[in-house]
Amino acid sequence: MMFAIQEINNSSSLLPNISIGYKISHTATCACLSNRKEYPSFFRTIPSDYYQSRAVAKLVKHFGWKWVGAVRSDNDYGNNGMATFITAAHQEGICIEYSEAISSTGPSGNVAKVVGVIKSGTARVLVAFIAQGDIDILVEEALKQNLTGLQWVGSESWITAGRLATKRHSGILTGTLGFAIRKTKITGLREFLLQVNPGQDPHNNLLREFWEATFVCSFQSGLHGQTLCSGSEILEDINNTFTDVSELRISSNVYKAVYAVAHAMHNMLKCDDAMNPQCIWKDDFEPKQVTG
């Protein structure tokens, strides 16, 4: 988002002589946010899970799987996504043997119990509508309990996660199916990311934590066994998920969404009240005027 806004602010053709700022709330897929009365200015950077959930049901039907298990994250993402899937699955003639919820913030025994339910079930197909932060604890528990022989069907939040595509997880996840967000190339983004430095914003605690974790150092002197961060470490020497721009899926959607809003504002700026009295640029325009 910051990269796209910097590009727009440097542009002489899009919103000339106008600078835009930002407050970041990206990649919300929950269908609950489609309620225009509650969220009149909500603008999606990714389609509602209403469509993904129904597509997953059709995918399951396509392969002739009529008896499946279901597991979800116990949050808006998982609960809403799974509710839509179950409704769509019933319409497609698919039966749900069980529907279990997990939470990374709940009791640790919860995940073990859920894996036990999956293991004792007779369904050989498992639909997992799991948030990115929850999939790791579920897979780790599945490894611990030797949960094999299942056909996993995953949600977009984890289906393309490279960290799960390892030999260690192959006995569990090989053959997993799901829908991925389209990826693309964003010219100049990698160079922009490599310029990030704690010196840009000394009071940004998140940036300091990122830097300490990336370079295994600390900005606090005297910590036992820790190298002192200088702030001049080079990100280009690091190969991690931050510097890897080969899988720009969510980022691509955010980038396009920022440009969509910018073009909407640009069109409002060009409004000619003589031609269209209802189309008048105002400094205090409402967000819903842009997202409508």
Side-chain angles (χ1 to χ4, degrees), residues 84-276:
T84 302
F85 166 75
I86 289 174
T87 299
H90 288 159
Q91 292 171 351
E92 299 288 356
I94 299 163
C95 295
I96 312 296
E97 182 181 10
Y98 54 82
S99 179
E100 296 290 326
I102 66 167
S103 173
S104 57
T105 58
S108 58
N110 164 259
V111 181
K113 172 181 170 292
V114 169
V115 172
V117 170
I118 297 170
K119 195 172 181 180
S120 62
T122 58
R124 294 292 87 196
V125 176
L126 178 65
V127 176
F129 219 96
I130 305 289
Q132 197 172 83
D134 293 338
I135 189 63
D136 294 301
I137 59 170
L138 177 62
V139 171
E140 284 304 311
E141 186 61 36
L143 280 169
K144 188 186 295 184
Q145 295 194 34
N146 194 28
L147 180 64
T148 58
L150 287 181
Q151 170 63 56
W152 291 61
V153 179
S155 56
E156 108 295 332
S157 65
W158 66 273
I159 197 67
T160 58
R163 68 182 185 280
L164 297 176
T166 64
K167 185 176 181 180
R168 181 168 179 264
H169 300 121
S170 61
I172 294 176
L173 297 177
T174 293
T176 299
L177 296 172
F179 293 101
I181 303 168
R182 185 186 296 274
K183 68 177 180 178
T184 191
K185 181 179 180 181
I186 302 177
T187 304
L189 178 60
R190 177 173 166 79
E191 290 72 21
F192 175 82
L193 295 174
L194 294 178
Q195 293 173 10
V196 168
N197 187 281
Q200 293 173 329
D201 187 355
H203 301 293
N204 188 324
N205 291 330
L206 183 62
L207 184 53
R208 289 169 64 90
E209 287 177 21
F210 160 71
W211 205 261
E212 289 177 333
T214 300
F215 293 102
V216 194
C217 60
S218 173
F219 284 103
Q220 298 181 43
S221 59
L223 286 183
H224 181 68
Q226 282 276 24
T227 304
L228 191 64
C229 294
S230 67
S232 59
E233 291 83 4
I234 302 172
L235 273 174
E236 196 167 1
D237 297 338
I238 299 295
N239 183 24
N240 62 11
T241 54
F242 178 77
T243 58
D244 180 13
V245 293
S246 63
E247 291 285 324
L248 298 179
R249 300 178 186 275
I250 291 175
S251 302
S252 169
N253 279 27
V254 174
Y255 184 75
K256 289 186 291 185
V258 172
Y259 266 91
V261 172
H263 279 286
M265 293 171 66
H266 185 84
N267 289 339
M268 291 173 71
L269 177 63
K270 292 198 305 182
C271 281
D272 185 349
D273 58 339
M275 297 291 291
N276 184 356

